[in-house]
Amino acid sequence: MQAKNKPVNKIRATSHDSRTTINILGIETSCDETAAAVVADGKTVKFSVITSQTKLHEKYGGVVPEIASRAHLEKICPVITEVLQQAQAGKDDIDAIAVANRPGLTVALIIGVTAAKTLSFAWAKPLIAIDHLHAHIQSAIFTSNLTSHEPRTTNHELTLPAVALIVSGGHTSLYDYHSPLEPKLLGSTIDDAAGEAFDKVATILKLPYPGGPAIEKAAKTGNPNAIAFPRSMLEPDSLDFSFSGIKTAVLYYCHGQDMKGENKVDSMSQQQIADIAASFQAAVVDVLVKKTQRAAEKIDAQTVLLGGGVAANNQLRIRLQQICDSSAPPKKLLIAPKQYCTDNAVMVASLAYHNFKAGLFAKLTLEPHAGCLTTKNA
Ligand code: KG4
Ligand code: ZN
């Protein structure tokens, strides 16, 4: 099978640094994007390529691991070659190879990990293992030094401590962030991730994949108060999330409580579908914002960081901005620009700069791990 996917996102460096800088080649294959980037000193993007597999997975309404793995295998060498060529970087210009080795789909992670280990061995360069979720946090921070992204209203300086909300297709996690190398997990989803809920509800509403952008688009003309979908807050002090209930509520709404009826979506008006999308989005955003607020109060955060694919959602960005502005004293909000919300290798190479400085290198026996680092309450 030939993958017909095309690179969808290429970012060229705006300036060249002298050779006193640290250049890191980052590699990312944790889910359905094959990505590589060369980043100097953790903040200057020399070149970045992201190849998306969306077209391959859309007919299944979610990522199929075997298809993802095969597509990564086909794309990894061309993507790395293109990044190195465009960044005008060869073996002598690269100081380390960084790769996201957890969490993610093992069969997908292994392609990036193998490529990184091979280059590390062949070029005799240090290997750096990066946690994909920690890299998403980094995408909200390093981009405060970039000029080529959409304007943000808040002060871009990071003041600690910070609380980080990472919302993606596979994870929904809150972190106590004191340093790039040691974010502490405060809470995470006990069932579906927020992005997964967007994707599943889009399937119920017969909207295209990936569901997040499709629901956001449909919700624009909808009434967010039309349907009172449940907001699962769990225990009063819990910082965990649960999104399976709201997904089931949408399913019941469309099929009827006994689930015996057909999906009524085909006979619904555009307005009814827009109302479901808007009401669902409002409920998910409500939970994400309230839990982030709860976490920020708990650790007395000065800054809120937002990253991951769902961070591209405008309602979430607006609501978080409102709670940051209205808290006393106001909190800073750093949000990854949309091009760095979804998976990319810039965030991997950028975070790896801190590992490099700290001398934290991986061995050539590095393996991929599907699960998260369980530093909760550590
Ligand atoms: O971070 P990401 O690229 O991949 C994972 O690590 O999972 O996130 C992908 C997820 C998908 O579930 C997609 O539906 C969701 O991010 N997403 C959005 C939006 N754009 C992408 N969810 C809500 N609103 C959006 N605008
Ligand atoms: Zn991700």
Side-chain angles (χ1 to χ4, degrees), residues 28 30-33 132-133 136 166-171 194-199 209-216 281 307-314 338 341-344 347:
E28 159 64 47
S30 65
C31 190
D32 62 341
E33 267 94 22
H132 175 83
L133 297 178
H136 271 303
I166 300 305
V167 254
S168 71
H171 303 92
E196 193 179 354
F198 269 97
D199 293 336
Y209 174 83
I215 296 236
E216 179 167 20
Q281 178 177 262
V310 183
N313 187 280
N314 288 306
K338 290 189 182 175
C341 282
T342 43
D343 292 348
N344 64 87
M347 64 187 192

